[in-house]
Amino acid sequence: MPLRFSLALALVLALAGCDGSTDGPLRPDSGMMSLPDSGGDVSETTYHGDLRPILAANCMTCHEEGGVAPFALETYEQAVEVAERMEEVTRDRIMPPFLADNSGECNTWSNHRGLTDDEIAVFEQWVLDGKLEGDPTTPDPERAVLPELPSVDLTLEMPTYAIDASEDDDYRCFVVETGLTEDQYVTGYDVHPGNVQRVHHVIVYNPIDADAVAAAEALDAEHGAVGDGYPCFGGPLVQAPPMVLWAPGAGATRFPRNTGVQVLAGIKQIIQVHYNNLVEDSPNEDRTIIELSTRESATPAYIYPLADGDLNLPPRMEEVVESNRTSFSFLPIPVRVWGAFPHMHTLGRSLSVEIHHSEGGDQCLIEVPRWDFNWQLAYWLDEPITITDTDAATITCRYNTMERDTEVNWGDGTEDEMCLNFVYVTP
């Protein structure tokens, strides 16, 4: 089923009357620390002397007692229990979670979180050396500090929800009031999950008009009591681009300086929460809260989809490649791309977007070499990319359909797929 691009029309009309300027994107403090110099023989790699400073700088915002991760890494006893697994997931760059290539081959990202090669080597050496504890009187290392919002001007609150634990994962969408009597520009966000053990990611979708809101409310009414939300595995099931993308350990996100996404007065928002039910001894209710920074005026930002909506994925294939070239002929003026929000479902293996400049040369926008549906993340460029009405873009997605017996097509359902990348653009 091909994707409808009605959002593009709104982008054309809005950009035609826009004026403004932006500075570079704010770079939140990632809290990354350089590898400590143990001053001793490499064979004496220890938890307290070598490993714990890396964990404190990169992992303990999630892996702490009562944190969003399934286990803590604050003590030697906790770390030694998962030593081999830590070595594996850091070596394969699965943790800390950041899917986009940050090597410079295809851009670098201001919100990147990841380990250096030297830091990864410490995990391996610690295991090889016998997982030594070291000196437990070593002073506690400095921990990473998550970014915060400069102000909280608007709060979105979902109702208390009884999590459906009949499946391993519960994806639920809630239609919520904003309380706005005047249009505002959202310039940043922070998310506070009500159930830190089960909330895996949160996305707020901004409906394009009242009809989209009405469609979401109709879905809500179809699935239990009004206000309890509706199941929404792949997205909101209505025309609403993402505005907030949050995953554990991210902290607050501030949009590039002086830019914001407009939220219209009277237009309700849609909160999608992914609940991971593979946890023990956790409450079965949630009431997540989203805090927003807003301004009355800002350089307007728009979320535009680049997609291959005509997916026809044959079954029992180790690799299926789909791509689509999109023109930017609708643009009335040049725009700058500040961020990218890639999206596929569970069959996805990799995604990339290439910009084709009419004046010559191709430019990689984003490369996701190993897609993971469990980590729906936003990526913010160190330097924006300018595109014009004569440029084009190609999105390419790769899938593995070995587990399917029938053809897979575009759709929002659990058995469907997508090839999609939203971009955050300003004049």
Side-chain angles (χ1 to χ4, degrees):
M1 178 175 62
L3 178 68
R4 293 182 294 168
F5 290 100
S6 61
L7 185 59
L9 176 60
L11 178 61
V12 174
L13 297 176
L15 287 181
C18 291
D19 186 22
S21 61
T22 61
D23 299 320
L26 293 176
R27 295 174 58 88
D29 180 8
S30 67
M32 298 300 178
M33 297 172 62
S34 60
L35 182 67
D37 183 2
S38 66
D41 189 277
V42 69
S43 65
E44 298 177 350
T45 302
T46 67
Y47 171 79
H48 287 289
D50 302 281
L51 190 68
R52 195 164 188 257
I54 301 174
L55 295 174
N58 299 277
C59 309
M60 289 186 187
T61 52
C62 293
H63 290 274
E64 61 181 350
E65 291 295 342
V68 295
F71 52 85
L73 294 172
E74 297 175 296
T75 69
Y76 169 74
E77 290 76 15
Q78 291 166 342
V80 78
E81 285 291 323
V82 292
E84 287 77 11
R85 181 57 178 162
M86 280 198 298
E87 189 274 330
E88 177 185 351
V89 297
T90 55
R91 181 191 66 227
D92 293 342
R93 298 191 181 275
I94 296 172
M95 288 286 161
F98 193 89
L99 305 183
D101 176 26
N102 192 61
S103 67
E105 293 293 322
C106 181
N107 290 310
T108 55
W109 307 91
S110 64
N111 60 327
H112 174 255
R113 54 181 177 178
L115 303 178
T116 67
D117 291 342
D118 286 344
E119 289 169 329
I120 292 172
V122 170
F123 286 84
E124 179 182 10
Q125 195 65 46
W126 183 59
V127 172
L128 290 174
D129 289 349
K131 298 171 282 190
L132 302 175
E133 180 179 8
D135 183 2
T137 66
T138 302
D140 290 343
E142 181 181 353
R143 288 202 183 192
V145 178
L146 293 177
E148 297 181 351
L149 292 177
S151 65
V152 176
D153 308 301
L154 177 63
T155 301
L156 303 180
E157 300 184 27
M158 55 170 273
T160 299
Y161 172 61
I163 301 168
D164 180 4
S166 63
E167 301 287 344
D168 291 344
D169 298 278
D170 180 15
Y171 296 84
R172 200 77 178 180
C173 281
F174 306 91
V175 186
V176 300
E177 294 276 5
T178 66
L180 291 178
T181 57
E182 296 181 351
D183 301 347
Q184 292 285 315
Y185 288 90
V186 173
T187 59
Y189 58 81
D190 200 359
V191 173
H192 302 281
N195 188 325
V196 295
Q197 288 82 18
R198 291 182 185 260
V199 174
H200 192 280
H201 78 248
V202 176
I203 301 176
V204 177
Y205 293 93
N206 184 14
I208 63 172
D209 54 28
D211 289 342
V213 173
E217 290 179 320
L219 290 169
D220 185 358
E222 291 176 10
H223 295 86
V226 173
D228 283 350
Y230 59 94
C232 55
F233 166 81
L237 311 182
V238 302
Q239 295 213 9
M243 178 177 64
V244 168
L245 292 97
W246 176 90
T253 293
R254 288 182 284 175
F255 292 149
R257 194 183 303 274
N258 296 331
T259 75
V261 176
Q262 189 177 51
V263 174
L264 300 177
I267 295 294
K268 297 178 181 179
Q269 301 294 287
I270 303 171
I271 301 174
Q272 182 199 56
V273 186
H274 169 200
Y275 297 101
N276 177 10
N277 293 319
L278 296 176
V279 293
E280 298 178 357
D281 302 324
S282 170
N284 60 2
E285 289 187 340
D286 174 55
R287 187 170 181 265
T288 288
I289 295 174
I290 297 95
E291 295 178 338
L292 304 174
S293 288
T294 65
R295 294 173 57 179
E296 292 182 359
S297 63
T299 300
Y302 304 92
I303 311 294
Y304 173 70
L306 302 173
D308 183 355
D310 188 20
L311 295 183
N312 300 284
L313 311 181
R316 299 296 178 183
M317 299 286 289
E318 290 189 357
E319 182 177 71
V320 181
V321 181
E322 291 275 351
S323 65
N324 183 53
R325 185 181 176 107
T326 301
S327 168
F328 293 113
S329 59
F330 64 87
L331 291 175
I333 57 174
V335 299
R336 287 184 285 181
V337 179
W338 297 91
F341 316 145
H343 182 71
M344 295 190 289
H345 290 179
T346 57
L347 300 182
R349 293 298 180 265
S350 67
L351 179 149
S352 63
V353 177
E354 193 89 5
I355 303 295
H356 310 293
H357 294 288
S358 58
E359 295 183 356
D362 295 336
Q363 183 176 14
C364 184
L365 170 61
I366 187 169
E367 178 79 33
V368 179
R370 182 171 51 199
W371 170 254
D372 186 341
F373 179 76
N374 291 314
W375 293 103
Q376 305 284 335
L377 305 175
Y379 303 93
W380 300 99
L381 287 162
D382 272 325
E383 298 294 336
I385 295 174
T386 299
I387 56 175
T388 71
D389 62 338
T390 56
D391 294 339
T394 296
I395 183 170
T396 301
C397 299
R398 289 175 167 80
Y399 307 88
N400 183 314
T401 63
M402 289 296 292
E403 65 184 52
R404 298 298 176 84
D405 294 321
T406 59
E407 182 178 87
V408 179
N409 304 113
W410 176 281
D412 292 291
T414 57
E415 297 298 309
D416 301 321
E417 261 301 338
M418 288 190 178
C419 178
L420 175 63
N421 183 82
F422 290 97
V423 287
Y424 182 101
V425 303
T426 65

